[in-house]
Amino acid sequence: MNAIDLLADRARQLGAGGHFDARSMEPVPSPCISVCRMSPDRSHCEGCFRTLDEIRIWSRADASLRRGIWAQLLGRAGIPAAPQKAQETSP
């Protein structure tokens, strides 16, 4: 499995778990898949597709900023946005 497939799978799992929902109280997990290597042009990590600046600020970023970083890196990787967990509705 390549890095994009691993990242897409991680995004699907986290999305299904509700981690990308703005109302969630759960922390937004890191996109790191332990493939830590910068692209030849040094624009992003070849594993998680974050830029160096995004990697640097991750530990102090709030949930909203982390969700924004996820959206940006998924776009860079060409991965569709992670699906949100289905919301329960009252009858």
Side-chain angles (χ1 to χ4, degrees), residues 7-78:
L7 187 60
D9 186 51
R10 181 156 174 75
R12 277 191 296 276
Q13 289 175 356
L14 294 175
H19 291 281
F20 298 134
D21 185 338
R23 297 170 292 192
S24 175
M25 298 306 288
E26 295 295 320
V28 178
S30 170
C32 181
I33 59 168
S34 298
V35 178
C36 304
R37 178 178 56 241
M38 293 308 289
S39 63
D41 66 359
R42 303 200 43 84
S43 64
H44 64 275
C45 172
E46 291 181 344
C48 69
F49 283 80
R50 287 181 291 177
T51 65
L52 283 173
D53 286 340
E54 290 167 343
I55 293 167
R56 278 187 204 109
I57 66 170
W58 185 266
S59 65
R60 22 182 226 284
D62 64 12
S64 177
L65 181 54
R66 286 182 175 195
R67 284 190 297 275
I69 292 171
W70 263 101
Q72 292 295 315
L73 70 88
L74 291 174
R76 267 183 226 114

